[in-house]
Amino acid sequence: MKKLAYIGGVVALAMTVFGACDTIGEDERKQEYTGSISSERKVLLEDYTGVRCVNCPSAAAEIERLQEFYGDALVVVGVYPQRPTGLTTPWNATRDQDLRTDVAQTWADAFSIEQFPNGTVNRQEVIAYTEWGGAIAEVISDGINYVDLSVSASLPTDTSVSVSVSGSFVEDYEADGTIHLITMILEDSIVVPQQVPGRIDPGYVHNHVLRTVLGSAWGDQVASEAPTRGTTFSANYTGTLDPVWRRNKLSVVVAVVNNSSREVIQVAQVHLDAGE
Amino acid sequence: MNFKRLAFGALLAGLVAPATLSAQESKFEEVLGRGTLSGNIQIDAQMYFKDSLIGVPEVPERLRSNSFAYLQYTNGKFSMGARFEGYFKPMLGYDARLDGWGLPYYFARFSGDIIDVTAGSFYEQFGSGMILRAYQDWNLGIDNAISGVRAIITPVQGITIKGIIGTQRHFWDHVGLIRGVDLDLAFNDFIKPMQSWGTRITLGGSFVSKFQEAGTKLVIENAENGLTPYQLNLPENVGSAAARLNIESGGFTLGGEYVYKANDPSAENGYIYRPGQAILLNAGYSMRGFGILLQAKSVDNMGFRGDRAELGNYGMINYMPALTRQHTYSLASLYPYACQTQGEVAFQADIQYKIKRGTVLGGKYGTDLKLNASVAFAPEHTNITSAEEGGTTPAQGSWGYDVKPFHMDADNIYFIDANLEIAHKFNKNFKMTLMYMFELYNQEVVEGHGEPRAYAHIAVGDFTYMFLKKHALRLELQYLHTKQIEQDWLMGTLEYTFAPSWFVSVSDQWNVGNNDKNRRFHYYYVSAGYIHDATRISLSYGKIRQGILCSGGVCREVPASNGVMLTLSSSF
């Protein structure tokens, strides 16, 4: 009798544990998203990827959907590290087929990214591509805009780029950490073979590929810790263009980052026209 | 967190260090003196050399090390322990998130007659592990110990009730809130009439549930009026239940386990709302000189993690047992199968027979025969709700697809392994093992790229010659023949052992048949070691080839390496 009581007690306990279980009915699964889709604060999405990574094209397809949906509010950078070599080694050995950069590896090491595809939204958490949409939505609907940022860029000569940045804090930013600017040069529409499910696609188009960073990999300081509302900053950068890059496909991305938490608090992108 | 560890460490040190106490406290000291201190320690360190030919990555630190030290104090029914781990940096092949050091595991435990309580970190498994398995595998860098409270109640012999609540270790963090209860009934132990039966029956059941806050999950769909965003309503509590039965009678065993997991949309299953199910069945018979074991497994949508956004090899709450033979010979495990948690149907048959000594084939000592065959298929998915017309990927936020247990897609084979092993001892000095294996490997599914069907034939000869009482020389020759992937491999190993302390071995794994003549590399390996009681030291040098594994939606690499490795381990 005592034994039955024990067993009965356990079953009751088990029901309680299993009762702690949410079942979502068929018509309750999705609801239309009513949050804001535009904001003063832009979001930086960095996609860590490699030409031998078979799951990476799925992440690229998700990026296309997100870009079409969010438009200017979203800035995307494709980061191609050098390791792991099994996922990143170019299919052809010529220099113009190599999308990898040293700065990409520096960032991948700092975020402990060894598996692809993986990414960061405003450099907060390393998350899989299925989570990017949700993370971007949270910043755009709830994030506070701290910085008004203005970027202009031009190609003064055939082999150089010049970038001019100015910004001002429209809110007090109270976190620890100095404020840095990271200036990136991206190139669009690069055709380089990519592993896709079942085969290697020789005509795969890579967009928003990170080509270089002007200055240090973690940026240069433009403001001290906890800048108050009204603080302004400005910076000018110049850089040399690699002849392999096509000048009419380039764009400049400038990110305002907290150098301690690495959080991206504002980002802006301008496309370069070869005619300028 | 750090303060807790410091306090615990201080308490442990305080118990261990001899203290000068007054006469009034000498009884306390006496009780303390009856306790024992035990533990184990291991240091693995590897130094890397550049080798761009085989694809060795650059290692700026040159030397990397994984190490741990475990101490446990036991005094009668009470025990407490802590394990320190340090990865300076984690060795190649181990996840970079292991970088760091600290006390990730510590506990205090009271093991009474009826009740056994643990506070702190513990490992646990319910049944076969398909509903819950918190375990550690040092060589794989996996440790998902649960930190929390566990109670094991044994009201009478034969009835075991376990209750756990806690959070799981995820590198240097914790993820997920897990609660579980398990009941195990060994009827023969507590039902008086059954105590004398020859047949033993055990019945078990478990319930496990996890909690995680919902967060924002956005799905952007192509509707008639353009891109429409939806937010998914995610279940914060996901429950799962299991039932198991085992019957043993004479030499016969029959057993089965069924696990059901409620809706759990996650990154791993593409955010679909269908439940998950797993069935594991086994039947066997053994008697002296003969044994047979048959197993069948059907799994659908059983990825169960503390964080629904996690992909890859870490963060699991449960564990899917592999129904394939774990081979020790290198070429037999060159293309190993990785269990597909999203779904598979697998079968395994294992027959062992000993040819009696004195017969023609048995010789003086008898001959051991082992026949093993395993196969894994993709499950058959029907009614797939896809975003595109006729697509095979279920749409996020939908039910997903329909599937029936043990219904397989016969055209989509994941893996076949059929092998025969013959072991024979000729005389007191010489023994031999021969093995032939046929393998079908779906590289596209297991590694995420490559051949959908790679066929390989593998032959192994393992010969040991013992002489001068304590010395032994072992020669191992292996050959793998395949027309796919990297084509043929030849491997030879020579190992010399001077029992019980010393061993030296030399081996070379040669990609002799690679279609690309420039890639016919030799992966040679030299190692030597010393064993004394429970202490083992080994030093090795060699090249290890690169491997890629794609599981659960991400691809990760096991890098090639060229280096010297030192392993020191001891237990006390």
Coordinates of all heavy atoms in Angstrom, one line a residue, chain B residues 305-380:
Chain B
R305 N 17.1 21.4 -26.5 CA 18.2 22.2 -26.0 C 17.7 23.2 -25.0 O 16.5 23.7 -25.0 CB 18.9 22.9 -27.1 CG 19.5 22.0 -28.2 CD 20.2 22.8 -29.3 NE 20.5 22.0 -30.4 CZ 21.7 21.7 -30.8 NH1 22.8 22.3 -30.2 NH2 21.9 21.0 -31.8
G306 N 18.6 23.7 -24.1 CA 18.3 24.7 -23.2 C 18.0 26.0 -23.8 O 17.2 26.8 -23.4
D307 N 18.7 26.3 -25.0 CA 18.5 27.5 -25.7 C 18.0 27.2 -27.1 O 18.7 26.5 -27.9 CB 19.9 28.3 -25.8 CG 19.8 29.6 -26.6 OD1 18.7 30.0 -27.0 OD2 20.8 30.2 -26.8
R308 N 16.8 27.6 -27.4 CA 16.2 27.2 -28.7 C 17.0 27.8 -29.9 O 16.9 27.3 -31.0 CB 14.8 27.6 -28.8 CG 14.5 29.1 -28.8 CD 13.1 29.4 -29.1 NE 12.2 29.1 -27.9 CZ 12.0 29.9 -26.9 NH1 12.7 31.0 -26.8 NH2 11.2 29.5 -25.9
A309 N 17.8 28.8 -29.7 CA 18.6 29.4 -30.8 C 19.9 28.7 -31.1 O 20.6 29.1 -32.1 CB 18.8 30.9 -30.5
E310 N 20.3 27.7 -30.3 CA 21.6 27.1 -30.4 C 21.6 26.1 -31.5 O 20.7 25.3 -31.7 CB 22.0 26.5 -29.1 CG 23.3 25.7 -29.2 CD 24.4 26.3 -28.3 OE1 24.0 26.9 -27.3 OE2 25.6 26.2 -28.6
L311 N 22.7 26.1 -32.3 CA 23.0 25.0 -33.3 C 24.3 24.4 -33.0 O 25.1 24.9 -32.2 CB 23.0 25.6 -34.7 CG 21.7 26.2 -35.2 CD1 22.0 27.0 -36.5 CD2 20.7 25.1 -35.4
G312 N 24.6 23.3 -33.6 CA 25.9 22.7 -33.4 C 25.9 21.5 -32.4 O 24.9 21.0 -32.1
N313 N 27.1 21.2 -31.8 CA 27.2 20.0 -31.0 C 27.0 20.3 -29.5 O 27.2 19.4 -28.7 CB 28.6 19.4 -31.1 CG 28.8 19.0 -32.5 OD1 27.9 18.6 -33.2 ND2 30.0 19.1 -33.0
Y314 N 26.6 21.5 -29.1 CA 26.6 21.8 -27.6 C 25.2 22.3 -27.2 O 24.4 22.6 -28.0 CB 27.6 22.9 -27.3 CG 29.0 22.5 -27.8 CD1 29.5 22.9 -29.0 CD2 29.8 21.6 -27.0 CE1 30.7 22.5 -29.5 CE2 31.0 21.2 -27.5 CZ 31.5 21.7 -28.7 OH 32.7 21.3 -29.2
G315 N 25.0 22.2 -25.9 CA 23.8 22.7 -25.4 C 22.6 21.8 -25.4 O 21.4 22.2 -25.3
M316 N 22.9 20.5 -25.6 CA 21.7 19.5 -25.6 C 21.3 19.1 -24.2 O 22.1 18.9 -23.3 CB 22.2 18.2 -26.3 CG 23.1 18.5 -27.4 SD 22.3 18.6 -29.0 CE 23.5 17.7 -29.9
I317 N 20.0 18.9 -24.1 CA 19.5 18.3 -22.8 C 19.5 16.8 -22.9 O 19.7 16.1 -22.0 CB 18.1 18.8 -22.6 CG1 18.1 20.3 -22.3 CG2 17.4 18.1 -21.4 CD1 16.8 21.0 -22.2
N318 N 19.2 16.3 -24.2 CA 19.1 14.8 -24.3 C 20.2 14.3 -25.2 O 21.1 15.0 -25.5 CB 17.7 14.5 -24.9 CG 17.5 15.0 -26.3 OD1 18.3 15.8 -26.8 ND2 16.5 14.6 -26.9
Y319 N 20.2 13.0 -25.5 CA 21.3 12.4 -26.2 C 20.7 11.2 -27.0 O 20.0 10.4 -26.5 CB 22.3 11.8 -25.2 CG 23.4 11.0 -25.8 CD1 24.5 11.6 -26.4 CD2 23.3 9.6 -25.7 CE1 25.5 10.8 -26.9 CE2 24.3 8.8 -26.2 CZ 25.4 9.4 -26.9 OH 26.4 8.7 -27.4
M320 N 21.0 11.2 -28.3 CA 20.5 10.2 -29.2 C 21.6 9.1 -29.3 O 22.7 9.4 -29.8 CB 20.2 10.7 -30.6 CG 19.0 11.6 -30.6 SD 17.5 10.6 -30.3 CE 16.8 11.5 -29.0
P321 N 21.4 7.9 -28.8 CA 22.4 6.9 -28.9 C 22.7 6.5 -30.3 O 21.7 6.4 -31.1 CB 21.8 5.7 -28.1 CG 20.4 5.9 -27.9 CD 20.1 7.4 -28.2
A322 N 23.9 6.3 -30.7 CA 24.3 5.8 -32.0 C 24.1 4.3 -32.1 O 24.4 3.6 -31.2 CB 25.7 6.2 -32.3
L323 N 23.5 3.9 -33.2 CA 23.2 2.5 -33.4 C 24.3 1.9 -34.4 O 24.0 1.1 -35.2 CB 21.8 2.2 -34.0 CG 20.9 1.4 -33.1 CD1 20.8 2.0 -31.7 CD2 19.5 1.3 -33.7
T324 N 25.5 2.4 -34.3 CA 26.5 1.9 -35.2 C 27.7 1.5 -34.3 O 27.9 2.0 -33.2 CB 27.1 3.0 -36.2 OG1 27.5 4.1 -35.4 CG2 26.0 3.4 -37.1
R325 N 28.5 0.6 -34.8 CA 29.6 0.1 -34.1 C 30.7 1.2 -34.0 O 31.0 1.8 -34.9 CB 30.2 -1.2 -34.8 CG 31.3 -1.8 -34.0 CD 31.8 -3.0 -34.5 NE 33.1 -3.4 -33.9 CZ 33.9 -4.4 -34.2 NH1 33.5 -5.2 -35.2 NH2 35.0 -4.6 -33.6
Q326 N 31.2 1.4 -32.8 CA 32.3 2.4 -32.6 C 33.6 1.6 -32.9 O 34.0 0.8 -32.1 CB 32.3 2.9 -31.1 CG 30.9 3.4 -30.7 CD 30.5 4.6 -31.5 OE1 31.1 5.6 -31.5 NE2 29.3 4.5 -32.1
H327 N 34.2 1.9 -34.0 CA 35.4 1.2 -34.4 C 36.7 1.8 -33.8 O 36.8 3.1 -33.6 CB 35.6 1.3 -35.9 CG 34.6 0.4 -36.6 ND1 34.7 -0.9 -36.7 CD2 33.4 0.8 -37.3 CE1 33.7 -1.4 -37.4 NE2 32.9 -0.4 -37.8
T328 N 37.6 1.0 -33.4 CA 38.9 1.5 -32.9 C 39.9 1.6 -34.0 O 40.9 2.4 -33.9 CB 39.4 0.6 -31.8 OG1 39.3 -0.7 -32.2 CG2 38.6 0.8 -30.5
Y329 N 39.8 0.8 -35.0 CA 40.8 0.9 -36.1 C 40.6 2.2 -36.9 O 39.5 2.5 -37.3 CB 40.7 -0.4 -37.0 CG 41.1 -1.6 -36.3 CD1 40.1 -2.6 -36.1 CD2 42.4 -1.9 -35.8 CE1 40.4 -3.8 -35.5 CE2 42.7 -3.0 -35.2 CZ 41.7 -4.0 -35.0 OH 42.0 -5.2 -34.3
S330 N 41.7 2.9 -37.2 CA 41.6 4.2 -37.8 C 40.9 4.3 -39.1 O 40.1 5.2 -39.3 CB 43.0 4.8 -38.0 OG 43.7 4.8 -36.8
L331 N 41.2 3.4 -40.0 CA 40.6 3.5 -41.3 C 39.1 3.0 -41.3 O 38.3 3.5 -42.1 CB 41.3 2.6 -42.4 CG 42.7 3.1 -42.7 CD1 43.3 2.4 -43.9 CD2 42.7 4.6 -43.0
A332 N 38.8 2.2 -40.3 CA 37.4 1.8 -40.1 C 36.6 3.0 -39.6 O 35.4 3.0 -39.8 CB 37.3 0.6 -39.2
S333 N 37.2 3.9 -38.9 CA 36.5 5.1 -38.4 C 36.9 6.4 -39.1 O 36.8 7.5 -38.6 CB 36.7 5.2 -36.9 OG 38.1 5.2 -36.6
L334 N 37.4 6.2 -40.4 CA 37.8 7.4 -41.1 C 36.6 8.2 -41.5 O 36.6 9.4 -41.6 CB 38.5 6.9 -42.4 CG 39.4 8.0 -43.1 CD1 40.6 8.3 -42.3 CD2 39.9 7.5 -44.5
Y335 N 35.5 7.5 -41.8 CA 34.3 8.2 -42.2 C 33.2 7.7 -41.3 O 32.4 6.9 -41.6 CB 33.9 7.8 -43.7 CG 35.0 8.2 -44.7 CD1 35.6 7.3 -45.4 CD2 35.3 9.6 -44.8 CE1 36.6 7.6 -46.3 CE2 36.3 9.9 -45.7 CZ 37.0 9.0 -46.4 OH 38.0 9.3 -47.3
P336 N 33.2 8.3 -40.1 CA 32.2 7.9 -39.1 C 30.8 8.5 -39.3 O 30.7 9.6 -39.8 CB 32.8 8.3 -37.7 CG 33.6 9.6 -38.1 CD 34.0 9.4 -39.6
Y337 N 29.8 7.9 -38.8 CA 28.5 8.4 -38.9 C 28.1 9.3 -37.7 O 28.4 8.9 -36.6 CB 27.5 7.2 -39.0 CG 26.1 7.7 -39.1 CD1 25.6 8.4 -40.2 CD2 25.1 7.3 -38.2 CE1 24.3 8.8 -40.3 CE2 23.8 7.7 -38.3 CZ 23.4 8.5 -39.4 OH 22.1 8.9 -39.4
A338 N 27.5 10.4 -38.0 CA 27.0 11.3 -36.9 C 25.5 11.2 -36.9 O 24.9 11.4 -37.9 CB 27.5 12.7 -37.2
C339 N 25.0 10.9 -35.7 CA 23.5 10.8 -35.5 C 22.8 12.0 -36.0 O 23.1 13.1 -35.6 CB 23.3 10.6 -34.0 SG 22.2 9.3 -33.7
Q340 N 21.7 11.8 -36.8 CA 21.0 13.0 -37.2 C 19.8 13.2 -36.3 O 18.8 12.5 -36.4 CB 20.4 12.7 -38.7 CG 21.5 12.4 -39.7 CD 22.5 13.5 -39.9 OE1 22.1 14.6 -40.1 NE2 23.8 13.2 -39.7
T341 N 19.9 14.2 -35.4 CA 18.8 14.4 -34.4 C 17.5 14.8 -35.0 O 16.5 14.6 -34.4 CB 19.2 15.4 -33.3 OG1 19.8 16.5 -34.0 CG2 20.2 14.9 -32.3
Q342 N 17.6 15.4 -36.2 CA 16.3 15.9 -36.7 C 15.5 14.7 -37.3 O 14.3 14.8 -37.4 CB 16.6 16.9 -37.9 CG 16.3 18.3 -37.5 CD 15.0 18.4 -36.7 OE1 14.9 18.5 -35.5 NE2 13.9 18.5 -37.5
G343 N 16.1 13.6 -37.5 CA 15.3 12.4 -37.9 C 16.2 11.4 -38.6 O 17.0 11.7 -39.4
E344 N 15.9 10.1 -38.2 CA 16.6 9.0 -38.9 C 15.9 7.7 -38.5 O 15.2 7.7 -37.4 CB 18.1 8.9 -38.6 CG 18.4 8.6 -37.1 CD 19.9 8.4 -36.9 OE1 20.7 8.8 -37.7 OE2 20.2 7.9 -35.8
V345 N 16.0 6.7 -39.3 CA 15.5 5.4 -39.0 C 16.7 4.5 -39.1 O 17.4 4.4 -40.1 CB 14.4 4.9 -39.9 CG1 14.0 3.5 -39.6 CG2 13.2 5.8 -39.9
A346 N 17.1 3.8 -38.0 CA 18.3 3.0 -38.0 C 18.1 1.6 -37.4 O 17.2 1.4 -36.6 CB 19.4 3.7 -37.2
F347 N 18.9 0.7 -37.9 CA 18.8 -0.7 -37.4 C 20.2 -1.2 -37.2 O 21.1 -0.9 -37.9 CB 18.1 -1.6 -38.4 CG 16.7 -1.2 -38.8 CD1 16.5 -0.4 -39.9 CD2 15.7 -1.6 -38.0 CE1 15.2 0.0 -40.2 CE2 14.4 -1.2 -38.3 CZ 14.2 -0.4 -39.4
Q348 N 20.4 -2.1 -36.2 CA 21.7 -2.7 -36.0 C 21.5 -4.2 -35.6 O 20.6 -4.5 -34.8 CB 22.5 -2.0 -35.0 CG 23.9 -2.6 -34.7 CD 24.8 -1.8 -33.9 OE1 26.0 -1.7 -34.2 NE2 24.3 -1.2 -32.8
A349 N 22.4 -5.1 -36.2 CA 22.4 -6.5 -35.7 C 23.8 -6.8 -35.4 O 24.7 -6.4 -36.1 CB 21.9 -7.3 -36.9
D350 N 23.9 -7.5 -34.3 CA 25.3 -7.8 -33.8 C 25.2 -9.3 -33.3 O 24.4 -9.7 -32.5 CB 25.5 -6.9 -32.6 CG 27.0 -6.7 -32.3 OD1 27.6 -7.6 -31.7 OD2 27.5 -5.7 -32.8
I351 N 26.1 -10.1 -34.0 CA 26.1 -11.6 -33.6 C 27.5 -11.9 -33.2 O 28.5 -11.6 -34.0 CB 25.7 -12.4 -34.8 CG1 24.3 -12.0 -35.3 CG2 25.7 -13.9 -34.5 CD1 23.9 -12.6 -36.6
Q352 N 27.7 -12.6 -32.1 CA 29.0 -13.0 -31.7 C 29.0 -14.5 -31.4 O 28.0 -15.0 -30.9 CB 29.4 -12.3 -30.4 CG 29.4 -10.8 -30.5 CD 30.1 -10.1 -29.4 OE1 30.9 -10.7 -28.6 NE2 29.9 -8.9 -29.2
Y353 N 30.0 -15.2 -31.9 CA 30.0 -16.6 -31.8 C 31.5 -17.1 -31.6 O 32.4 -16.6 -32.2 CB 29.5 -17.3 -33.1 CG 29.5 -18.8 -33.1 CD1 28.7 -19.5 -32.2 CD2 30.3 -19.5 -33.9 CE1 28.7 -20.9 -32.2 CE2 30.3 -20.9 -33.9 CZ 29.5 -21.5 -33.0 OH 29.5 -22.9 -33.0
K354 N 31.6 -18.0 -30.6 CA 33.0 -18.5 -30.3 C 33.1 -19.9 -30.8 O 32.3 -20.8 -30.4 CB 33.2 -18.4 -28.8 CG 34.7 -18.8 -28.5 CD 35.0 -18.6 -27.1 CE 36.4 -19.0 -26.8 NZ 37.3 -17.9 -26.4
I355 N 33.9 -20.1 -31.8 CA 34.2 -21.5 -32.3 C 35.0 -22.2 -31.2 O 36.0 -21.8 -30.8 CB 34.9 -21.5 -33.6 CG1 34.2 -20.7 -34.7 CG2 35.2 -22.9 -34.1 CD1 34.9 -20.6 -36.0
K356 N 34.5 -23.4 -30.8 CA 35.1 -24.1 -29.7 C 36.5 -24.5 -29.9 O 36.9 -24.8 -31.0 CB 34.2 -25.3 -29.3 CG 32.9 -25.0 -28.7 CD 32.4 -26.2 -27.9 CE 31.0 -26.0 -27.4 NZ 30.0 -25.9 -28.5
R357 N 37.3 -24.5 -28.8 CA 38.7 -25.0 -29.0 C 38.6 -26.5 -29.2 O 37.7 -27.2 -28.7 CB 39.5 -24.6 -27.7 CG 38.8 -25.0 -26.4 CD 39.8 -24.8 -25.3 NE 39.3 -24.0 -24.2 CZ 40.0 -23.8 -23.1 NH1 41.2 -24.2 -23.0 NH2 39.4 -23.1 -22.2
G358 N 39.7 -26.9 -29.8 CA 39.8 -28.4 -30.1 C 39.2 -28.7 -31.5 O 39.5 -29.7 -32.1
T359 N 38.4 -27.8 -32.1 CA 37.9 -28.1 -33.5 C 39.0 -27.6 -34.5 O 39.9 -26.9 -34.1 CB 36.6 -27.3 -33.7 OG1 36.8 -25.9 -33.5 CG2 35.5 -27.8 -32.7
V360 N 38.7 -27.8 -35.7 CA 39.7 -27.5 -36.8 C 39.9 -25.9 -36.8 O 41.0 -25.4 -36.8 CB 39.2 -28.0 -38.2 CG1 40.0 -27.4 -39.3 CG2 39.2 -29.5 -38.2
L361 N 38.7 -25.2 -36.9 CA 38.8 -23.7 -37.0 C 39.1 -23.1 -35.6 O 39.5 -22.0 -35.5 CB 37.5 -23.2 -37.5 CG 37.3 -23.5 -39.0 CD1 35.8 -23.1 -39.4 CD2 38.2 -22.7 -39.9
G362 N 38.8 -23.9 -34.5 CA 39.0 -23.3 -33.2 C 40.4 -23.3 -32.7 O 40.8 -22.5 -32.0
G363 N 41.1 -24.4 -33.2 CA 42.5 -24.4 -32.7 C 42.6 -24.7 -31.2 O 41.7 -25.3 -30.6
K364 N 43.7 -24.3 -30.6 CA 44.0 -24.6 -29.2 C 43.1 -23.8 -28.3 O 42.8 -24.2 -27.2 CB 45.5 -24.4 -29.0 CG 46.0 -25.0 -27.7 CD 47.5 -24.9 -27.6 CE 47.9 -25.3 -26.2 NZ 49.3 -24.9 -26.0
Y365 N 42.8 -22.5 -28.7 CA 42.2 -21.6 -27.7 C 40.8 -21.2 -28.2 O 40.1 -20.5 -27.5 CB 43.0 -20.3 -27.6 CG 44.4 -20.5 -27.0 CD1 45.4 -20.8 -27.9 CD2 44.6 -20.5 -25.7 CE1 46.7 -21.0 -27.4 CE2 45.9 -20.7 -25.2 CZ 46.9 -21.0 -26.1 OH 48.2 -21.2 -25.6
G366 N 40.3 -21.6 -29.3 CA 39.0 -21.2 -29.8 C 39.2 -20.0 -30.7 O 40.2 -19.3 -30.8
T367 N 38.2 -19.7 -31.5 CA 38.2 -18.5 -32.4 C 36.9 -17.7 -32.2 O 35.8 -18.2 -32.1 CB 38.2 -19.0 -33.9 OG1 39.3 -19.8 -34.1 CG2 38.2 -17.8 -34.8
D368 N 37.1 -16.4 -32.0 CA 35.9 -15.5 -31.8 C 35.5 -14.9 -33.1 O 36.3 -14.3 -33.8 CB 36.3 -14.3 -30.9 CG 36.5 -14.8 -29.4 OD1 35.6 -15.5 -28.9 OD2 37.5 -14.5 -28.8
L369 N 34.2 -15.0 -33.4 CA 33.7 -14.4 -34.6 C 32.7 -13.3 -34.2 O 31.9 -13.5 -33.3 CB 32.9 -15.4 -35.4 CG 33.7 -16.6 -36.1 CD1 32.7 -17.5 -36.8 CD2 34.7 -16.0 -37.1
K370 N 32.8 -12.1 -34.9 CA 31.8 -11.1 -34.6 C 31.3 -10.6 -35.9 O 32.1 -10.1 -36.8 CB 32.5 -9.9 -33.9 CG 32.8 -10.1 -32.4 CD 33.3 -8.8 -31.8 CE 34.1 -9.1 -30.5 NZ 34.8 -8.0 -30.0
L371 N 30.0 -10.6 -36.1 CA 29.4 -10.1 -37.3 C 28.5 -8.9 -36.9 O 27.7 -9.1 -35.9 CB 28.6 -11.2 -37.9 CG 27.9 -10.9 -39.3 CD1 28.9 -10.6 -40.3 CD2 27.0 -12.0 -39.7
N372 N 28.7 -7.8 -37.6 CA 27.9 -6.6 -37.2 C 27.4 -5.9 -38.4 O 28.1 -5.8 -39.4 CB 28.8 -5.7 -36.3 CG 28.2 -4.4 -36.1 OD1 28.3 -3.5 -36.9 ND2 27.6 -4.2 -34.9
A373 N 26.2 -5.5 -38.4 CA 25.7 -4.7 -39.5 C 24.8 -3.6 -39.0 O 24.0 -3.9 -38.1 CB 24.9 -5.6 -40.5
S374 N 24.9 -2.4 -39.6 CA 24.0 -1.3 -39.2 C 23.7 -0.5 -40.4 O 24.5 -0.4 -41.3 CB 24.7 -0.5 -38.1 OG 25.8 0.1 -38.5
V375 N 22.5 0.1 -40.3 CA 22.1 0.9 -41.5 C 21.2 2.1 -40.9 O 20.5 1.9 -39.9 CB 21.3 0.0 -42.5 CG1 20.0 -0.5 -41.8 CG2 20.9 0.8 -43.7
A376 N 21.4 3.2 -41.6 CA 20.6 4.4 -41.2 C 19.9 5.0 -42.4 O 20.6 5.2 -43.4 CB 21.4 5.4 -40.4
F377 N 18.7 5.3 -42.3 CA 17.9 5.9 -43.5 C 17.4 7.3 -43.1 O 17.1 7.5 -41.9 CB 16.7 5.1 -43.8 CG 17.1 3.8 -44.5 CD1 17.1 2.6 -43.8 CD2 17.2 3.8 -45.9 CE1 17.4 1.4 -44.4 CE2 17.5 2.6 -46.5 CZ 17.6 1.4 -45.8
A378 N 17.1 8.1 -44.1 CA 16.3 9.3 -43.8 C 14.8 8.9 -43.6 O 14.4 8.0 -44.3 CB 16.4 10.2 -45.0
P379 N 14.2 9.6 -42.7 CA 12.7 9.2 -42.5 C 11.9 9.8 -43.7 O 12.4 10.7 -44.3 CB 12.4 9.9 -41.2 CG 13.4 11.0 -41.0 CD 14.6 10.6 -41.8
E380 N 10.7 9.3 -43.9 CA 9.9 9.8 -45.0 C 9.0 10.9 -44.6 O 8.1 10.7 -43.7 CB 9.1 8.6 -45.6 CG 8.4 8.9 -46.9 CD 7.5 7.8 -47.4 OE1 7.2 6.9 -46.5 OE2 7.1 7.8 -48.5

